[in-house]
Amino acid sequence: MTTLIALLRGINIGGNNPLPMKELSALLTGMGLRDVQTYIQSGNVVFRCDVKNRAALATKISAAIEAQHGFAPHVLLLDAAELRKAMAGNPYPEAEADPKSLSLLFLDEAPPHPDLKSLEAIRADSERFKLAGKVFYLHAPEGFGRSRLAARAEKLLGVAASGRNWSTVCKLAQMAG
């Protein structure tokens, strides 16, 4: 039995793609996933299951949400060890004191051709970033929502991403045990 973390992108934002966590939990439990726990309304789920093909499970979860709610969110799955490794690899530990300023963008895969030059060109003077495999670390002291770098990162990296701030990452790690 493996503990997995599901990061759903683009739900419950500005009234778009509404998905109550109680309904999401029931849906995932109905799919045979065990010990389903959600965290806040932005699509964070921790559960246990026996699965060999995570990509297939992510597709199945997205399809089930679409069948029940009319939209198919991007679902990224990682295990507890991957989450802990991403946390341990944080290149900006001093930013943990202001956890909302530090975000980890979890990537579907390591970008084969990231446009780091363009990322550097749009970076605000106060911002720092680092790409490490399947994680893009962004320290944006003036706010993630205000950051042009945050807004363009996924496109310039060239792979799907789902970001979470340090507070959420820590809570998910705690939930995953």
Side-chain angles (χ1 to χ4, degrees):
M1 190 79 42
T2 303
T3 298
L4 293 176
I5 297 99
L7 304 176
L8 283 69
R9 189 176 66 198
I11 66 166
N12 298 329
I13 297 177
N16 294 318
N17 298 332
L19 179 56
M21 294 299 99
K22 195 175 218 179
E23 291 178 25
L24 177 59
S25 182
L27 176 69
L28 298 178
T29 299
M31 292 175 62
L33 306 178
R34 297 189 185 127
D35 304 321
V36 176
Q37 304 171 70
T38 61
Y39 176 64
I40 62 176
Q41 295 297 311
S42 58
N44 304 291
V45 188
V46 176
F47 58 88
R48 294 180 330 116
C49 67
D50 291 319
V51 65
K52 302 289 184 239
N53 186 336
R54 280 198 255 170
L57 178 59
T59 299
K60 185 177 175 184
I61 291 170
S62 184
I65 292 168
E66 183 174 32
Q68 194 171 78
H69 295 277
F71 62 92
H74 178 78
V75 178
L76 188 141
L77 296 176
L78 53 144
D79 65 33
E82 289 170 315
L83 185 66
R84 285 191 300 274
K85 181 180 177 189
M87 292 174 73
N90 173 21
Y92 311 117
E94 67 284 355
E96 294 171 17
D98 182 10
K100 294 191 186 284
S101 74
L102 177 61
S103 294
L104 280 64
L105 279 70
F106 296 93
L107 311 175
D108 277 357
E109 62 182 323
H113 306 290
D115 188 352
L116 298 176
K117 189 173 184 178
S118 292
L119 287 166
E120 184 61 37
I122 61 172
R123 178 185 67 80
D125 289 341
S126 64
E127 294 177 331
R128 302 178 288 170
F129 70 88
K130 180 180 179 185
L131 175 61
K134 291 172 46 175
V135 182
F136 182 79
Y137 299 89
L138 174 60
H139 180 222
E142 294 165 30
F144 187 86
R146 295 177 152 189
S147 171
R148 286 182 32 215
L149 179 57
R152 304 265 330 269
E154 183 177 42
K155 181 176 183 183
L156 293 171
L157 291 169
V159 297
S162 191
R164 298 298 185 268
N165 71 33
W166 188 254
S167 293
T168 299
V169 169
C170 290
K171 181 62 177 178
L172 292 172
Q174 177 189 0
M175 291 169 64

